[in-house]
Amino acid sequence: MPKPSNSYKKNLDMTKIGTGKPQQLLRVDDHDFSMRPAFGGPAIPVGVDVQVESLDSISEVDMDFTMTLYLRHYWKDERLAFPSTSNKSMTFDGRLVKKIWVPDVFFVHSKRSFIHDTTTDNIMLRVFPDGHVLYSMRITVTAMCNMDFSHFPLDSQTCSLELESYAYTDEDLMLYWKNGDESLKTDEKISLSQFLIQKFHTTSRLAFYSSTGWYNRLYINFTLHRHIFFFLLQTYFPATLMVMLSWVSFWIDHKAVPARVSLGITTVLTMSTIITGVNASMPRVSYIKAVDIYLWVSFVFVFLSVLEYAAVNYLTTVQEWKERKLREKVPCMCGMPHSKTMMLDGSCSESEANSLAGYPRNHILTEEEKQDKIVVHLALGSESSSSRKRGLLKGQVGLRLFQNTHAIDKYSRLIFPASYIFFNLIYWSVFS
């Protein structure tokens, strides 16, 4: 029989040739990994570093933030040591994590958190020949952030993400930042629509629980400064324009009641809508915010402009009533024997004027004689001359007040803008 050629030997499928059971380098089944490394001895040091991938959202209503990060742990477990001539590490996925001991780090004050699992669990385990282990996860966590809105929206907020061992106290596990401040890395592209991220930094301290003891706690701190431009466009500018619009009524005639009333009511309702819209997107805090001060002061200015017209309209009505009464009480008698009434404007028949001047009724006066000789006599009954003077003086004062009722509008045109500008200077100097 012919022997197989050399080309046939080269085309053999080597994957189908049995090579026997591979040797297991990690002796996972030979140890009890339910116990921590060096159990009974000193606390095992576990280094931590974090790389922040994104800061997804900040919620003022819920007072929390959402962050996506890579969390890495470093420790040494001699039970996982294996012989190696090249000193190369072995990398595993999340399936090995369930078979060995890993630190039980959790996020303090977290509301929700999960490990990403697309397309597979985002977990990496790297074991070195001397037993050192790197354990990395990709996590999204939503944690609580205590915010102070007393300067909102001209505020800065400082939030913290806190890491801690759940079961092991500081006597069993020493949690620390692996490289100090260099243990926290952030992506340069991280940005938020409403905030400017000013600073990321790390701290650590001990946390005490009365029932379990002391624990190492690590902090990821970051400071956020709010962008004001959005609130200038959506809140401050509309409120300022409504206040300025309410001043237009000071230039409208006080007799135009529908125009001034409708303008005042419109500005008041618009300010109420702005205040309601701002508070709808904010938590119901029990203290006053900076935006509340601005909006409510603006609302008071708008409301005072409505009250100003109410005062003008009332004073105008009162003066008209007084003037009407004054005209009814002060008669003008042209000629004593005839006792005819003359209006306040001094109109009198020519024959009556001649009789008062001492001329017969059929005598016609020249213009010069009329200017020199015409006398107007006010018959006031039994009243004295002093009472007649007081009555005339009172009528003149009332007439002046009636003519100057619109002076309130003139003063308001200066007082309202000046007061509002003064308020803005104080407001922005204090809160900005």
Side-chain angles (χ1 to χ4, degrees):
M1 294 180 64
K3 295 181 179 180
S5 61
N6 294 333
S7 61
Y8 174 76
K9 293 181 179 180
K10 292 181 181 179
N11 294 330
L12 288 176
D13 188 357
M14 302 302 295
T15 61
K16 296 182 179 180
I17 300 177
T19 56
K21 185 177 180 179
Q23 183 179 3
Q24 186 177 8
L25 294 179
L26 296 181
R27 300 184 299 274
V28 176
D29 298 332
D30 297 342
H31 301 279
D32 183 10
F33 284 96
S34 63
M35 311 298 290
R36 70 172 179 86
F39 178 76
I44 176 175
V46 176
V48 175
D49 68 33
V50 173
Q51 181 175 348
V52 179
E53 181 182 9
S54 64
L55 195 56
D56 301 324
S57 63
I58 305 291
S59 175
E60 291 89 356
V61 177
D62 299 326
M63 285 195 180
D64 59 25
F65 64 92
T66 302
M67 179 186 294
T68 300
L69 52 88
Y70 295 94
L71 177 61
R72 304 184 181 97
H73 309 76
Y74 302 85
W75 74 94
K76 183 177 181 180
D77 191 344
E78 296 181 352
R79 295 171 295 183
L80 296 177
F82 62 91
S84 175
T85 57
S86 59
N87 199 28
K88 291 184 178 180
S89 61
M90 292 189 296
T91 302
F92 304 91
D93 57 18
R95 288 173 289 185
L96 183 62
V97 174
K98 300 179 181 179
K99 300 180 180 180
I100 66 173
W101 180 90
V102 293
D104 58 342
V105 174
F106 78 105
F107 297 100
V108 185
H109 305 309
S110 67
K111 297 181 178 180
R112 296 173 299 275
S113 62
F114 62 91
I115 299 175
H116 290 259
D117 55 2
T118 306
T119 58
T120 184
D121 292 341
N122 295 175
I123 297 176
M124 186 269 289
L125 193 69
R126 182 170 294 169
V127 182
F128 294 86
D130 57 355
H132 280 88
V133 181
L134 165 61
Y135 176 40
S136 177
M137 298 176 290
R138 183 169 177 256
I139 304 174
T140 294
V141 56
T142 300
M144 182 181 67
C145 178
N146 293 321
M147 301 182 184
D148 181 14
F149 296 108
S150 58
H151 285 68
F152 177 88
L154 306 168
D155 58 333
S156 296
Q157 303 295 339
T158 299
C159 300
S160 299
L161 183 62
E162 305 171 14
L163 296 84
E164 183 182 303
S165 173
Y166 189 83
Y168 298 100
T169 65
D170 61 337
E171 296 178 355
D172 292 321
L173 190 146
M174 185 180 67
L175 204 63
Y176 68 98
W177 290 111
K178 187 175 185 297
N179 298 314
D181 291 337
E182 299 297 325
S183 301
L184 180 61
K185 304 293 184 181
T186 58
D187 193 337
E188 296 180 356
K189 299 180 180 179
I190 294 179
S191 62
L192 292 171
S193 58
Q194 290 192 25
F195 293 92
L196 173 65
I197 304 175
Q198 291 184 326
K199 184 179 181 182
F200 274 96
H201 65 280
T202 61
T203 56
S204 62
R205 65 187 66 173
L206 289 175
F208 177 74
Y209 298 90
S210 59
S211 58
T212 54
W214 294 90
Y215 294 81
N216 294 111
R217 182 177 295 183
L218 306 181
Y219 295 82
I220 301 174
N221 305 307
F222 56 95
T223 303
L224 304 172
H225 182 71
R226 195 183 305 273
H227 294 300
I228 186 60
F229 188 71
F230 171 81
F231 295 94
L232 288 176
L233 293 179
Q234 299 296 323
T235 303
Y236 286 95
F237 285 166
T240 303
L241 291 178
M242 286 301 103
V243 175
M244 297 175 64
L245 183 61
S246 68
W247 301 339
V248 176
S249 64
F250 303 150
W251 278 264
I252 301 177
D253 187 9
H254 62 272
K255 297 180 181 179
V257 177
R260 295 190 67 163
V261 171
S262 60
L263 180 60
I265 294 176
T266 300
T267 52
V268 168
L269 293 179
T270 304
M271 283 301 305
S272 301
T273 303
I274 295 175
I275 294 174
T276 303
V278 171
N279 291 330
S281 60
M282 294 295 299
R284 297 178 180 178
V285 295
S286 59
Y287 50 85
I288 298 177
K289 304 181 291 293
V291 67
D292 293 335
I293 297 176
Y294 193 90
L295 292 180
W296 280 105
V297 170
S298 299
F299 182 85
V300 169
F301 270 90
V302 172
F303 189 72
L304 287 178
S305 67
V306 178
L307 294 183
E308 184 271 347
Y309 176 64
V312 169
N313 189 54
Y314 173 76
L315 293 177
T316 302
T317 304
V318 169
Q319 293 303 324
E320 288 178 350
W321 179 80
K322 289 183 178 180
E323 178 65 18
R324 187 166 54 252
K325 290 294 183 180
L326 184 62
R327 289 179 179 180
E328 293 176 356
K329 290 182 178 180
V330 183
C332 178
M333 305 303 293
C334 294
M336 293 296 292
H338 301 281
S339 300
K340 294 184 179 179
T341 303
M342 181 179 69
M343 299 302 294
L344 286 177
D345 57 359
S347 63
C348 185
S349 64
E350 186 176 358
S351 60
E352 291 172 342
N354 291 337
S355 62
L356 288 173
Y359 294 94
R361 289 180 177 270
N362 56 1
H363 181 75
I364 300 176
L365 298 176
T366 62
E367 294 297 329
E368 294 180 356
E369 291 175 336
K370 288 181 180 180
Q371 295 177 4
D372 294 336
K373 302 298 182 178
I374 291 178
V375 178
V376 178
H377 181 74
L378 298 177
L380 299 177
S382 60
E383 295 183 4
S384 63
S385 59
S386 61
S387 62
R388 291 201 304 269
K389 292 180 180 179
R390 287 197 298 267
L392 291 175
L393 181 61
K394 183 178 180 181
Q396 293 176 359
V397 173
L399 185 61
R400 290 177 182 176
L401 289 176
F402 170 72
Q403 293 175 348
N404 294 329
T405 303
H406 63 280
I408 300 177
D409 284 339
K410 292 182 179 179
Y411 292 135
S412 298
R413 295 171 191 173
L414 299 176
I415 294 175
F416 274 72
S419 301
Y420 196 68
I421 292 174
F422 180 71
F423 161 72
N424 274 271
L425 292 176
I426 295 178
Y427 179 87
W428 294 107
S429 62
V430 171
F431 291 103
S432 62

